[in-house]
Every structure is written in structure tokens, then in C-alpha cells.
Amino acid sequence: MNSTVYLYVFDTMADWEISYLTAELNSGRYYKKGLGPSKIVTVGMEKTPVTTMGGLTILPDITLDECSIKSTDALILPGGNTWTETIHQPILKIAERCLEEGIWVAAICGATIGLAQAGLLNSRSHTSNDLEYLQMTCPTYTGEKYYKMESAITDGKLITASGTAPLEFTVHVLKALGVFSSKTLEAWYSLNKTRASKHYYELMDSIQ
């Protein structure tokens, strides 16, 4: 049975940062044989439409109060302009519980700032958009020695990524969920990163 992926949605969310990921999760087009597409459940603070940074309207499937994440599931936190605001404290509490219970949490761009403010990056390897900016916006952040100058990082059940690394973010999440074979994942990334046609044929061969 495939995992359910809970996607937190909110006004100003950076829709492009999770678009590679949601496309592959929803379509399952390159999944291992025998695996169907993942179920994506959008979670909002309320069950009212939100508008992404790209101007797309999303009606959340469920509210935070209805969110019941199990050990086999994952929580995705997109970037956005409002992660320094208190409105995101409820989802950060859920993220904290997920990490305590060994449930995957994947955060990109601004969402990493939210995690830092919640103290969730103080003892785990992680990355973000910029260390100095993280220190400036999060006075309680003390995880400098765990900061890595990389596009995306996985430490335990936590994935963090820079906002300029949606491809790398996707690779880490797909690897964590185990839905692509290693050959498929490598070919998929190489194709999207380099656009070299040879990787398309490698990708097709990998799913035969």
C-alpha cells in the first residue's frame, strides 16, 4: 500500500518548488512495477481556498484538525513569504510530532525558516536558502554547526532544501518514499537537470 503524502497549502505558497514532486507522486508514471500513484492530501488551516504565489487557487482537502498522519505517511512543507508569522505554528507542531514519531517531513525554502524558528533544526543536519539569513530571521536558532552548504539534505526523517533546488528536493523525497528504483531516480534527475536526450532513453529503459 502506498503512503499518503500530506501537502500543506497556504496563501503565498511557492507552488513551483513542489511541482516536480507533486507531478510524479500524483501520476506514478515512473513508479516501481506494482505500485500505484501516491495519494496527495492537501491540508489547510481552514477549508477555504488559498492562492499560491503563482496565482493558482487550491481548496484544501482537509483542515489541520482533520490531519491524522500515520507512520507510513509524509508531510510536505512548501516555501512561501509568511513562514516567519505565527499562523504556521499549528503545522509546525504537527511537523515536530512527525519527527518525534519517525514520520517523514520535507521542507523547502521558507519552510526551513519555520522549522528553524520552532527549534527543529538545532540538532539535525539541514540546509536552507542562506545561513546568515537563517540566523538573522531566527534569533533562537542554534543549529549553525549542523548547517550544510548543499542543495538538499536528508537527516533521519527530515528533508530540507534550498528554494533554488526543487529537483534535488524531489529526488530526496522520492528516495525517502522508495517509489522509484535507483536507476529510474538517477535517470529522471539527470534528464531534468541536463536535458540531454540520452537520459530520456535511460529513464524509459529503467521502467521496462
Side-chain angles (χ1 to χ4, degrees), residues 1 21 32 35 46 57 61 113 125 145 156 162 168 178 181:
M1 183 177 179
L21 177 60
K32 295 175 181 176
L35 288 182
E46 299 176 352
T57 300
D61 296 315
I113 297 172
S125 294
K145 67 179 180 179
S162 161
E168 290 76 10
S181 72

Side-chain angles (χ1 to χ4, degrees), residues 9-76:
V9 296
F10 55 95
D11 286 325
T12 82
M13 65 176 277
D15 41 17
W16 71 92
E17 292 176 349
I18 45 87
S19 58
Y20 285 108
L21 177 60
T22 54
E24 300 307 341
L25 294 174
N26 184 65
S27 68
R29 57 183 175 168
Y30 304 131
Y31 275 24
K32 295 175 181 176
K33 287 185 178 180
L35 288 182
S38 298
K39 181 180 181 182
I40 300 176
V41 177
T42 53
V43 185
M45 286 173 274
E46 299 176 352
K47 203 174 287 186
T48 53
V50 300
T51 303
T52 70
M53 199 178 296
L56 303 179
T57 300
I58 299 175
L59 180 64
D61 296 315
I62 61 173
T63 65
L64 290 172
D65 292 338
E66 298 172 306
C67 186
S68 179
I69 302 180
K70 301 176 183 177
S71 60
T72 56
D73 300 330
L75 175 65
I76 308 297

